[in-house]
Amino acid sequence: MSDLLSIGASGLKAYSRAMSTVGDNIANAQTPGYARRTLALKEMASGTESALVGRNVSPGGVTIQGIGRSVDKWLINDARISSGEAERAATRADWMTKVESALSDDANGISTNLTKLFTTADQLTADPNNVTLRAQFLQSVDDVASGFRSSATQLGAMSEGISDAAQSSVTDLNNNLDALESVNAGLRKARAGSTNEASLLDERDRLIDQISSQMAVTASFDDKGTVTLRAAGTGDALVGNATVTHVAIATGADGRLGFTAGGAAIDPGSGNLAGLGQAADHVADQRAGLDAAAAQFAGQLNTAHQAGTDANGNAGQPLFAGTTAATLTATPLSASQVAAANGSGTNGNMLAIGGMRGANDPEAAWASRLASQAQATSSSRAQFAAAATRADGAAAARDSVSGVDLDQEAADLLRFQQAYSAAARTIQVARETMQALLSAI
């Protein structure tokens, strides 16, 4: 009867723990990083069983081996890679959209005012002495300069915003690296198969997921589950051997970003840091292109205007001052100082300025710049859409193994409840039988 009691008691303990495990799964169904847990049970050998007795029948009950986690390492790694690529694409597409907005005519009016400038020049050819048209021409010059300055200011602010976002992300990354090493320290001390070990492994995987969304990393694990984390591109160790190497960021004069780990240059590869780095490069290119466009436009218009003479017979003066988009300003001229005439007539210079329109004129060059940016932005959005779809599929595949299915948990809970009741009934039968034996004496 004592064997029956101990068998029933082992069942009560095992199935009570099993129901607690199911309850933990249900409670954490929406907890990020939580992997479904299962209770591993094993037949308990009887204390009186002997290998020398071939037909000895002495059941021993059940024992708990430990807590297991439902994970697939390949699916987890695939989800991390696709998630990092989706984060990179999303970050880049977001900033590309902002650049497109900063260069758009709605934001700076450059395209509209370039058209207005050349249209006014055409009108002056018909009435070169019209003071109102001369004033409108000068206003268009000022509006174009203002548009270049506005775009330069917005792109400069974006460059600073990207740098600030990257610095914040690097701070979060380093905090995650520190936390990961703390988890490693806990895993070295954790008892195999314990709930504490399972919780630490969940937190380890969650932190690696978070780090992978910031930059590309590779992870290797020892028999205790502790992780050695390396930068995917260079192999530089970030976490390992109880040591953490922090990532640092530097911003160049043009806004481009550089990343290092332990003083060695690294390439984030994927994740939001890679997206921010690519966005910083694009903004730097656009700022340089905007400066070149402003200088070229100003140089062409200045040369053309200086080739003519104003209403007082004086040589035309430069229309613009400044060498970059941020410093471009309109020269303060009066209506009489508009150089509409040249040697061929009172409207000859305006005819020459109007004739600048063509395949390579400032108006066409600016339209080409906007079209190029629109195409790049559209491409970045398409890349993000594809990467997001890929990431969603990889996450779903991972969750099909690691995620909690509430229907399955409900069925398991009912099954373990019945087993628990049966174990309790076993103890009750053992007690009743023992009482009957004692009463018969």
Side-chain angles (χ1 to χ4, degrees), residues 7-34:
I7 290 171
S10 70
L12 283 179
K13 181 180 179 181
Y15 294 117
S16 174
R17 184 74 176 276
M19 287 190 289
S20 296
T21 301
V22 172
D24 209 18
N25 287 340
I26 294 172
N28 288 282
Q30 303 301 321
T31 301
Y34 183 87

Side-chain angles (χ1 to χ4, degrees), residues 37-263:
R37 297 175 186 175
T38 56
L39 189 68
L41 301 177
K42 181 182 179 182
E43 180 184 5
M44 182 188 297
S46 171
T48 61
E49 184 144 7
S50 171
L52 301 177
V53 182
R55 296 185 179 181
N56 184 30
V57 179
S58 183
V62 64
T63 186
I64 298 171
Q65 282 191 301
I67 296 290
R69 299 168 67 242
S70 299
V71 294
D72 184 307
K73 293 181 179 179
W74 188 89
L75 292 177
I76 289 175
N77 189 56
D78 185 54
R80 286 172 182 158
I81 293 173
S82 58
S83 174
E85 182 58 22
E87 284 290 335
R88 181 203 64 78
T91 302
R92 181 172 181 269
D94 180 51
W95 286 101
M96 291 285 284
T97 300
K98 292 177 181 178
V99 172
E100 182 180 36
S101 177
L103 295 178
S104 72
D105 197 55
D106 291 338
N108 53 53
I110 291 177
S111 181
T112 297
N113 289 314
L114 281 173
T115 300
K116 187 184 298 183
L117 185 151
F118 285 109
T119 299
T120 305
D122 289 341
Q123 291 173 337
L124 277 171
T125 61
D127 191 2
N129 296 317
N130 189 308
V131 176
T132 299
L133 290 176
R134 285 170 171 263
Q136 289 177 358
F137 178 80
L138 293 175
Q139 183 61 52
S140 296
V141 170
D142 185 63
D143 288 343
V144 170
S146 177
F148 274 107
R149 293 197 305 274
S150 175
S151 288
T153 298
Q154 291 185 64
L155 290 177
M158 282 183 208
S159 184
E160 292 179 3
I162 291 171
S163 178
D164 290 343
Q167 185 60 64
S168 177
S169 184
V170 165
T171 298
D172 290 341
L173 171 63
N174 289 330
N175 289 338
N176 286 333
L177 293 175
D178 290 335
L180 188 58
E181 176 51 37
S182 295
V183 171
N184 275 349
L187 284 170
R188 294 186 190 102
K189 303 174 184 178
R191 182 171 57 84
S194 65
T195 301
N196 180 48
E197 182 192 52
S199 296
L200 287 169
L201 292 173
D202 282 348
E203 180 63 7
R204 179 202 67 184
D205 287 350
R206 188 193 69 80
L207 287 169
I208 298 175
D209 289 348
Q210 189 65 35
I211 292 168
S212 296
S213 72
Q214 296 171 295
M215 65 175 290
V217 294
T218 58
S220 58
F221 307 93
D222 64 13
D223 56 357
K224 293 287 289 183
T226 63
V227 61
T228 297
L229 205 66
R230 298 180 181 276
T234 61
D236 292 307
L238 301 176
V239 176
N241 297 322
T243 301
V244 177
T245 301
H246 283 170
V247 174
I249 181 175
T251 304
D254 60 356
R256 299 181 192 271
L257 304 179
F259 302 92
T260 58

Side-chain angles (χ1 to χ4, degrees), residues 179-401:
L180 188 58
E181 176 51 37
S182 295
V183 171
N184 275 349
L187 284 170
R188 294 186 190 102
K189 303 174 184 178
R191 182 171 57 84
S194 65
T195 301
N196 180 48
E197 182 192 52
S199 296
L200 287 169
L201 292 173
D202 282 348
E203 180 63 7
R204 179 202 67 184
D205 287 350
R206 188 193 69 80
L207 287 169
I208 298 175
D209 289 348
Q210 189 65 35
I211 292 168
S212 296
S213 72
Q214 296 171 295
M215 65 175 290
V217 294
T218 58
S220 58
F221 307 93
D222 64 13
D223 56 357
K224 293 287 289 183
T226 63
V227 61
T228 297
L229 205 66
R230 298 180 181 276
T234 61
D236 292 307
L238 301 176
V239 176
N241 297 322
T243 301
V244 177
T245 301
H246 283 170
V247 174
I249 181 175
T251 304
D254 60 356
R256 299 181 192 271
L257 304 179
F259 302 92
T260 58
I266 61 171
D267 180 1
S270 66
N272 71 329
L273 286 179
L276 288 168
Q278 292 173 356
D281 289 345
H282 183 75
V283 171
D285 290 341
Q286 288 299 317
R287 292 175 73 185
L290 187 68
D291 286 342
Q296 181 182 17
F297 170 70
Q300 288 176 325
L301 265 293
N302 284 344
T303 299
H305 193 256
Q306 288 174 290
T309 55
D310 64 18
N312 300 316
N314 298 318
Q317 299 185 40
L319 289 172
F320 296 97
T323 58
T324 65
T327 61
L328 190 67
T329 57
T331 305
L333 301 177
S334 65
S336 63
Q337 290 177 297
V338 173
N342 64 12
S344 64
T346 58
N347 65 352
N349 203 42
M350 282 297 113
L351 283 170
I353 291 176
M356 290 174 61
R357 276 179 160 174
N360 297 315
D361 76 302
E363 204 173 2
W366 184 254
S368 176
R369 175 171 293 278
L370 295 185
S372 177
Q373 174 60 41
Q375 183 177 11
T377 302
S378 177
S379 176
S380 70
R381 289 171 180 161
Q383 290 177 20
F384 166 59
T389 300
R390 166 91 167 80
D392 289 344
R398 178 197 61 197
D399 291 345
S400 67
V401 175

Side-chain angles (χ1 to χ4, degrees), residues 1 4-5 8-9 12 421-436:
M1 290 305 102
L4 192 58
L5 282 170
L12 283 179
S421 298
R425 178 59 181 159
T426 300
I427 293 176
Q428 183 179 358
V429 169
R431 291 178 61 185
E432 291 173 353
T433 303
M434 180 66 73
Q435 186 64 44

